[in-house]
Amino acid sequence: MENVFNLYSAIKEQNDYKTDDLPGFNEIEIRDLIVCDINLDDLISVNSMYSRIEFNKISFYSTYFVQTSFHECTFKNVAFTKSNLNSTSFTLCSFIACSFAGAEIMDAEITTCNFKKCNFTNIIFSDNIINDTQFEITEKSFSVISDNIEKNVIWSFG
């Protein structure tokens, strides 16, 4: 709970919220923020917008980001382990050394993104629309990566 309070404090400082008006994580917009070294396991964020956010060393274990949009966000050393990212939109985002192990990403839109040194072990990654994106995947054992609509997409496994 302390970590969620720290994130609320950061959101409050960046967005001028009054203490009793701090937002939940559903149907909100958060922008221009750096979030570092925090555990946000089991977070639920539905129908929200995150713009120009830098996430660094974050644990999103078993989070639920559904019908949520990320625009110009950077994710460094972020663990999305066992998270649900269905019907989510990623535009102009960078993912560096992130783990999506056991995650589910279906019906997402991924546009002009870079995934570098990411772990896709045991991921369900299908029925997505992907444009102008590069994937450098370090591990993909036991994964289902199929039925995506791709245009100008580069996959590298190794």
Side-chain angles (χ1 to χ4, degrees):
M1 188 57 83
E2 177 184 348
N3 290 331
V4 173
F5 176 76
N6 289 339
L7 182 59
Y8 277 148
S9 296
I11 293 167
K12 178 178 175 259
E13 287 173 20
Q14 290 291 321
N15 294 288
D16 298 322
Y17 289 108
K18 295 180 176 141
T19 302
D20 47 349
D21 290 333
L22 287 173
F25 288 98
N26 293 323
E27 299 181 357
I28 61 164
E29 181 175 341
I30 300 174
R31 66 194 178 292
D32 303 311
L33 187 64
I34 297 173
V35 183
C36 297
D37 296 308
I38 193 168
N39 176 338
L40 294 170
D41 296 345
D42 301 310
L43 180 95
I44 296 173
S45 183
V46 178
N47 198 26
S48 296
M49 170 74 143
Y50 297 84
S51 300
R52 295 178 306 277
I53 308 290
E54 181 180 319
F55 298 95
N56 193 357
K57 298 179 185 171
I58 307 295
S59 175
F60 283 130
Y61 181 87
S62 195
T63 57
Y64 190 82
F65 284 114
V66 174
Q67 298 173 341
T68 292
S69 177
F70 294 90
H71 183 76
E72 292 184 59
C73 292
T74 301
F75 302 86
K76 296 178 186 173
N77 299 303
V78 173
F80 290 99
T81 307
K82 295 189 177 183
S83 290
N84 184 328
L85 300 164
N86 292 336
S87 302
T88 295
S89 170
F90 297 98
T91 306
L92 296 166
C93 293
S94 294
F95 299 84
I96 303 160
C98 293
S99 175
F100 295 88
E104 184 174 296
I105 304 174
M106 298 176 65
D107 298 315
E109 293 185 19
I110 302 168
T111 306
T112 318
C113 294
N114 286 304
F115 292 75
K116 186 172 179 138
K117 298 181 181 177
C118 291
N119 179 342
F120 270 33
T121 301
N122 200 30
I123 190 174
I124 297 174
F125 189 82
S126 61
D127 300 317
N128 301 303
I129 299 171
I130 309 167
N131 293 299
D132 304 312
T133 295
Q134 295 184 346
F135 294 91
E136 181 186 313
I137 306 304
T138 58
E139 180 61 52
K140 66 173 187 110
S141 301
F142 309 107
S143 295
V144 176
I145 301 173
S146 64
D147 300 324
N148 297 302
I149 298 170
E150 300 180 6
K151 182 178 178 186
N152 196 24
V153 174
I154 298 171
W155 288 90
S156 171
F157 300 99

